[in-house]
Each structure stands twice: as C-alpha cells, then as structure tokens.
Amino acid sequence: MKVTFIRPNIGRLESGVYIDEGRMEPLSLGVIAAYTPADVECVLYDDRMEEIPFDEPTDLAAITVELYNARRSYEIAAEYRRRGVPVVMGGFHPTLAAEECQQHADAIVTGDAELVWPTVVEDARRGRLRNRYDGTTPHPQPGGVIPRRDLYKGKGYLPISLLQFGRGCRFACDFCAISSFFDRKQTVRPVDDVLAELEQRDSNLVFFVDDNFVSSHDALKTLLRALIPLKIRWVSQGSLDMTEDDELMDLIEASGGQGLVVGFESVNQDNVKSMRKACNLSKKFSGWDRYARQVEILRRHHLQTWASFTLGHDHDTPDSIEETFRFAEDSKFCFAAFNILMPYPGTALYRRLEMEGRLLWGGKWWLHPDYRFNHAAFVPRHMSPEELTESVWGIRQRWNSARSIFKRMWDFQTHLDSPYRLGTYLVYNRLYAAEAWTKHGMFFGRKRGSIGPQIVRSDGGAGVRQRHAG
C-alpha cells in the first residue's frame, strides 16, 4: 500500500503560480507519516514549491487542510477522486468546519490524529474507510515517535528544525481558532521525548511550533533548564504574560531563546478587553502604558520580537491603525505582522459577526473565487472594508520598506547585540518583505469559479484502488 501526503499551497498570483520562498517543513505531515504502519510506502508532495503528480499510482491521498488553503485542498482532492483515489483530510479546518470538508473528501480526521491514524490507514487498506474519525491524544507525539524528516529532503525548506513541545493555549481570545480547536487547554510532551528528538535535528536553530510555548510557565521552565546544556538557538510563539515571570524570562535567555512571535493584537485597551486577550492585561504592572514595560523586558533579555497585530476590531479606526504602526516601529521590533482581523469559523468572533450580519463573501470568504489574500472579510465598526484593507496594506508597505528596516536595526540590546542576530535581522527581513509584496492580493486556489461539493465517494464505497498488494 502507498499513502501520498499533500501540503497544499494557498493559491495563485494574477501572473501565475505562487511559489512560497519562505516555506518551512510541514511538521504535521512528518509526524503523521511516522505513525503510518511500517509496511506502507509514504511519499510527500509540497504544493508550495512542486507540481503534484496526480497520475502517480497511490492508494490514499492524505491532505492537511488549513483555512487559507482550503480552496486549493478541495481542488487537489477533486483531482485524486477523479482518478479513483480516496482522500482523507485532517488538520484545523476539518475539525472546525467538518461538514464543509466532508463534501470534498472520503474521510476526515478531527482533532489530534496520531493515535487514530493507523486505524484510518488499515480501514483504507481493507476498503472500509469511514467518513469521519475523531482523534485524541494525551499529548503531542505519544510514545516518543520521531517525525519522518526523510520526507522533507530536497524540497528547499528554510534551514530551521521544527519541533513541538506542547499544543493548545489556556487563554480564550474570541478571534482565535487555537482556543476553539483545543478548548482552551494545553498538553505538553515529556521533556525526555523532546530532548531525544533534538538529538536528530538538522539545524542548530530550532523553531518550537507550539501555539503558545509559555502557556504553562512551570512546564516550560522544566524544559528550558534541560535545554541550557545543549547550547542551541531557538524561537517560538508566546503570550505577553511571560514578561511577568522573572525566572521564566531568565531561563528563556539562558536556554538560547532568540525571539518569540508575540500577539500584541492592539494598542487600544478597549480592543484588548473586548477580544478577551487576558494575557495582555497585566496583573503585575498597574496602568495602561501600551506595553512599554513588557517591551523593555523583552529587549533586556535580547529577544528579537516578532510582534503580531490583528486590525479591524470594533474600536479601531484608520488613526488607530496608524498608531499601531508607530508603536511597532518605535519599539524596534525585529518583525511585525499587521494582519486584518479575520473571522475564522468555529470562533466566538465569527458567531458574533454572523449574528450581526457583518460577514462578507457569503460568510465563506476562504472559498469565494473573488476573495483576495489580505482583504477584509467583514464590515468593521468605524470604517468600510475597503478602508480597513487599504490602511493595513499601507502600514505593511511602510514596515517592509528599506527605510523602516534600517531605522529599526539600531537597537544594541537586540539586533546589534551580536553578528548572528544582525544577520538574522537582515536576511529574514528581506525574505519576509519580499513575501509580503508577492502574496498581497493573491487569489485562493488555482482555478476560477465556484467550488462545488463532491459528496460521492470516489470508490463508490467499495474500497480503494490498489496499487499493489499489501
């Protein structure tokens, strides 16, 4: 038996196919491939940089589906099903929009797939694939399983080793799909399992892909103490409340922490309260100073922060968006993502906007053939959707300009702290600036026109097309 794993692209440019120059290893597919029975052949195709050989014989196509690549995922699924190959979909989107995904696949896997995946493969082998499998796991990669990194060879991924310590987040931000997917819970791997996987890393720079690396301060401290002797460099994603724990911040620095993606979201306190971003409302520092003390703590520990903002909340205006840019530039952040607030299905934000009649594109912007990347998908409270799109694109352009990159570079606590940090700043700012210019306004999927449901099983319910026995 043979299983083909697929990592879909987002879509296409007006000028042709989009190739993601900043692509990283699809860790989730490497993990699931490692749980595939040993007698099953596994191959991986990454739609972000290579053509998918649809006519290559296979017995099962396994597609990881996120909201932004859902439309392209359905196109890929249609090609396989047209050739009689059954399709199984897993990931965030099949969990949060199960009914939609079931129209385009023979089976979906909801939740964490590790422990249920061998059953999916065995059912496909025997021609009795069910339409839905609900996965659960006590923690990521149970049993100390190591991802199949051999499947990544030759695909030109960034020289960063991806690992995970935990999944989920304990906070309840109303716009966040992570909170909905994991029901405000976090689980973490045994530290010994993480250390064993680190021994097999390909790079000395490690990206812990956790949704919130610092969600459990105590659990993370245990891991960080174990990382100190390894003398690695690492980056991750973390919530701002880490700055209130002095011991944690010291351990982040001592263990090789280079920087974290931090969700500042908004510089408006009313926005922060309404989105229920509790970790941004400090319990340690009294008064609202627009994160000045937290930013200084991050800088004091030499962290090159990637600040993430969501713009378009109910207290936002074009002027507040401009204030956000000035705050980010004055803080000399290494990187910043100025994201239009997006209504993700399954979130409290989506339900509220739907109830208020403020969703655009029929409520399914990710499938609409005319929707374009980085455009507003709802009606903001104090501006038009077009004003929101233009305001955010305007500050994104300025942030990625040579002038802004040069201005932000002059921080001797972070970017000029060492030649390595300076190199990181210059190389990756150029890369992400180019990606921002390229991706803006791209279409989702490769084909124009509506994406219709495909509810008929490709095998007629009788089983898979066998490439060979076994």
Side-chain angles (χ1 to χ4, degrees), residues 92 96 167-171 173 175-185 209-212 237 344 347:
F92 271 83
L96 299 178
R167 290 182 190 153
C169 176
R170 61 188 172 90
F171 296 108
C173 307
F175 61 89
C176 184
I178 300 296
S179 178
S180 299
F181 187 97
F182 292 105
D183 193 25
R184 297 182 57 190
K185 297 181 178 66
V209 300
D210 298 39
D211 309 297
N212 184 357
Q237 306 173 110
Y344 281 57
T347 63

Side-chain angles (χ1 to χ4, degrees), residues 139-386:
H139 56 75
Q141 296 170 227
V145 172
I146 305 296
R148 286 279 308 273
R149 289 191 167 83
D150 58 296
L151 299 178
Y152 305 150
K153 300 298 183 183
K155 297 190 184 291
Y157 297 122
L158 292 179
I160 304 172
S161 292
L162 273 59
L163 280 84
Q164 57 186 333
F165 174 50
R167 290 182 190 153
C169 176
R170 61 188 172 90
F171 296 108
C173 307
D174 76 337
F175 61 89
C176 184
I178 300 296
S179 178
S180 299
F181 187 97
F182 292 105
D183 193 25
R184 297 182 57 190
K185 297 181 178 66
Q186 186 202 35
T187 59
V188 299
R189 297 170 67 190
V191 170
D192 287 345
D193 287 359
V194 178
L195 298 179
E197 186 172 342
L198 280 168
E199 291 179 359
Q200 300 187 21
R201 67 186 183 277
D202 296 324
S203 169
N204 199 45
L205 178 59
V206 175
F207 178 18
F208 288 102
V209 300
D210 298 39
D211 309 297
N212 184 357
F213 196 46
V214 305
S215 183
S216 171
H217 291 197
D218 290 340
L220 180 57
K221 288 176 184 177
T222 301
L223 174 65
L224 296 180
R225 292 187 187 104
L227 293 183
I228 292 173
L230 302 184
K231 301 197 181 299
I232 64 170
R233 295 185 174 100
W234 62 264
V235 295
S236 191
Q237 306 173 110
S239 51
L240 203 54
D241 62 300
M242 64 182 158
T243 59
E244 302 185 16
D245 188 327
D246 294 337
E247 181 187 23
L248 178 61
M249 292 304 299
D250 289 342
L251 286 170
I252 287 174
E253 180 180 354
S255 62
Q258 303 296 296
L260 294 98
V261 179
V262 179
F264 288 86
E265 313 306 349
S266 176
V267 297
N268 182 297
Q269 188 178 23
D270 291 331
N271 277 337
V272 176
K273 289 179 178 178
S274 66
M275 71 178 78
R276 301 174 64 188
K277 187 86 174 182
C279 52
N280 284 18
L281 297 170
S282 175
K283 296 179 181 178
K284 181 177 181 180
F285 308 121
S286 62
W288 177 256
D289 63 0
R290 296 206 308 187
Y291 312 117
R293 284 164 289 193
Q294 291 95 327
V295 169
E296 182 54 35
I297 290 170
L298 295 170
R299 292 180 62 245
R300 192 164 66 237
H301 289 84
H302 312 290
L303 297 176
Q304 292 180 284
T305 300
W306 184 320
S308 178
F309 301 94
T310 49
L311 304 169
H313 294 277
D314 281 355
H315 297 279
D316 272 332
T317 65
D319 287 342
S320 73
I321 292 173
E322 175 64 25
E323 289 173 13
T324 304
F325 170 78
R326 290 200 299 267
F327 162 74
E329 192 171 64
D330 291 345
S331 300
K332 292 184 169 60
F333 290 134
C334 188
F335 312 106
F338 299 101
N339 302 308
I340 291 176
L341 178 67
M342 301 304 296
Y344 281 57
T347 63
L349 172 68
Y350 188 94
R351 292 189 292 270
R352 177 170 65 83
L353 293 176
E354 183 177 41
M355 182 179 64
E356 295 173 357
R358 295 167 60 189
L359 294 175
L360 299 175
W361 309 102
K364 289 196 173 186
W365 48 273
W366 58 93
L367 295 184
H368 201 286
D370 295 325
Y371 177 78
R372 304 183 69 152
F373 187 67
N374 284 333
H375 283 216
F378 70 100
V379 180
R381 184 75 69 188
H382 296 297
M383 59 191 124
S384 70
E386 293 77 18

